[in-house]
Amino acid sequence: MTYKESSYVSKAVDAQGYASYTKEEDEVWGLLYKRQLATVQGRACDEYLAGLEKLNLPQDRVPQCPDVSKALQAATGWSLAPVPALISFDRFFALLADRRFPAATFIRRKEDMDYIQEPDIFHEIFGHCPMLTNPAAAEFTHTYGKLGVKASAEERVMLARLFWFTVEFGLIKTAAGLRAYGGGILSSMSETIYCVESKVPERRPFDPLMALQTPYRIDEIQPIYYVLDSFEQLYHLVDMDLMGLIRQVKQSGPTPGHPC
């Protein structure tokens, strides 16, 4: 997604798409990877964990986009696109429509280990890429991008809500209990624990019309999550008239009583 301001600058990449990281940056990746790998056990869905295994990410250095792309292409035809820290919605949707997931090539500083507003490379690769090896999630993200390319600015705001409550902060029911699949959750230690175990947030059965009507905040632990019954619901979304649902939302307005 896009943000208005950032204190971070993405790393330049060479002609093959590789960036140069410092020893300290590699150490930050290693610390994040070690603690988050432990945190997602028993809290992430099996599809995410299987995807993480397919990616075979390095534990002691920042992964390189071309290397991750090879695993994604073999699984679902996706790849990573190195991008600046901030990109426009036009670029964001165009990349997704081309089965390329944007990855800002910077990694957070040690003082920002627990929270960063901007999506850094840990968020994009550890959070999102495992689910991009899953056919349902990959196809939904591709369809989402194609819709966004043609959408108006107002329609993109509502599409962003759908992305937020699925790809970023989605939960799913499993035989083993509630599990997370959203990249915004699974790249955050505190939210991974909170979304599954806390009694505080509201967990709603996933309904695309309701999700399109629900504003969200990017600067706090989520008060609302939408829960899939299965990933088949993402396949169904691909075939739905999502722009028709957006037109309904434009007529009715956002759900009252929730923060914008």
Side-chain angles (χ1 to χ4, degrees), residues 94-113:
L95 286 171
L96 298 187
D98 195 34
R99 295 186 184 271
R100 301 172 68 206
F101 202 85
T105 51
F106 72 91
I107 191 164
R108 68 194 71 182
R109 307 178 190 100
K110 285 188 176 179
E111 58 265 31
D112 294 332
M113 286 277 288

Side-chain angles (χ1 to χ4, degrees), residues 192-211:
T192 299
I193 298 170
Y194 175 86
C195 73
V196 173
E197 299 177 11
S198 175
K199 296 181 180 179
V200 174
E202 180 183 355
R203 299 179 182 90
R204 299 176 177 176
F206 179 74
D207 179 297
L209 187 59
M210 285 293 294

Side-chain angles (χ1 to χ4, degrees), residues 9-169:
V9 177
S10 284
K11 295 272 186 177
V13 298
D14 63 20
Q16 288 72 45
Y18 288 86
S20 178
Y21 293 97
T22 66
K23 180 180 179 180
E24 182 176 358
E25 288 167 332
D26 284 337
E27 288 175 354
V28 169
W29 172 272
L31 291 169
L32 288 168
Y33 184 94
K34 181 178 180 180
R35 75 175 191 179
Q36 195 59 16
L37 183 64
T39 302
V40 299
Q41 305 304 317
R43 300 183 179 99
C45 65
D46 289 344
E47 290 82 357
Y48 171 88
L49 295 173
L52 194 59
E53 186 173 347
K54 288 178 184 177
L55 295 179
N56 192 27
L57 300 173
Q59 299 183 27
D60 58 351
R61 61 176 174 81
V62 181
Q64 295 286 349
C65 289
D67 299 333
V68 178
S69 291
K70 291 177 184 177
L72 291 176
Q73 287 172 345
T76 57
W78 277 76
S79 63
L80 284 179
V83 297
L86 304 177
I87 62 173
S88 68
F89 273 116
D90 285 342
R91 179 90 186 278
F92 176 74
F93 285 114
L95 286 171
L96 298 187
D98 195 34
R99 295 186 184 271
R100 301 172 68 206
F101 202 85
T105 51
F106 72 91
I107 191 164
R108 68 194 71 182
R109 307 178 190 100
K110 285 188 176 179
E111 58 265 31
D112 294 332
M113 286 277 288
D114 292 330
Y115 174 76
I116 181 173
Q117 177 174 298
E118 305 93 329
D120 70 345
I121 200 164
F122 183 79
H123 169 86
E124 305 293 22
I125 291 182
F126 190 94
H128 284 297
C129 285
M131 285 306 302
L132 283 175
T133 68
N134 175 266
E139 190 60 29
F140 170 67
T141 306
H142 180 223
T143 298
Y144 175 85
K146 291 190 294 183
L147 290 174
V149 167
K150 300 178 181 179
S152 68
E154 185 181 4
E155 290 166 341
R156 286 177 175 182
V157 169
M158 283 173 273
L159 280 173
R161 295 173 186 167
L162 186 62
F163 191 89
W164 189 264
F165 290 115
T166 53
V167 176
E168 289 287 359
F169 288 91

Side-chain angles (χ1 to χ4, degrees), residues 140-260:
F140 170 67
T141 306
H142 180 223
T143 298
Y144 175 85
K146 291 190 294 183
L147 290 174
V149 167
K150 300 178 181 179
S152 68
E154 185 181 4
E155 290 166 341
R156 286 177 175 182
V157 169
M158 283 173 273
L159 280 173
R161 295 173 186 167
L162 186 62
F163 191 89
W164 189 264
F165 290 115
T166 53
V167 176
E168 289 287 359
F169 288 91
L171 299 178
I172 186 169
K173 292 179 182 177
T174 75
L178 192 65
R179 295 292 184 266
Y181 72 91
I185 294 172
L186 293 169
S187 58
S188 166
M189 182 174 69
S190 58
E191 191 121 15
T192 299
I193 298 170
Y194 175 86
C195 73
V196 173
E197 299 177 11
S198 175
K199 296 181 180 179
V200 174
E202 180 183 355
R203 299 179 182 90
R204 299 176 177 176
F206 179 74
D207 179 297
L209 187 59
M210 285 293 294
L212 288 167
Q213 290 177 298
T214 308
Y216 60 86
R217 292 277 296 271
I218 67 171
D219 58 349
E220 64 181 18
I221 293 285
Q222 297 302 298
I224 298 170
Y225 299 98
Y226 282 90
V227 184
L228 296 177
D229 288 325
S230 74
F231 284 117
E232 286 298 311
Q233 287 181 276
L234 291 186
Y235 273 129
H236 293 326
L237 278 178
V238 170
D239 296 326
M240 289 180 66
D241 180 12
L242 291 175
M243 299 312 292
L245 293 180
I246 284 175
R247 287 190 290 272
Q248 291 184 46
V249 175
K250 288 168 69 174
Q251 295 175 354
S252 60
T255 301
H258 295 293
C260 296

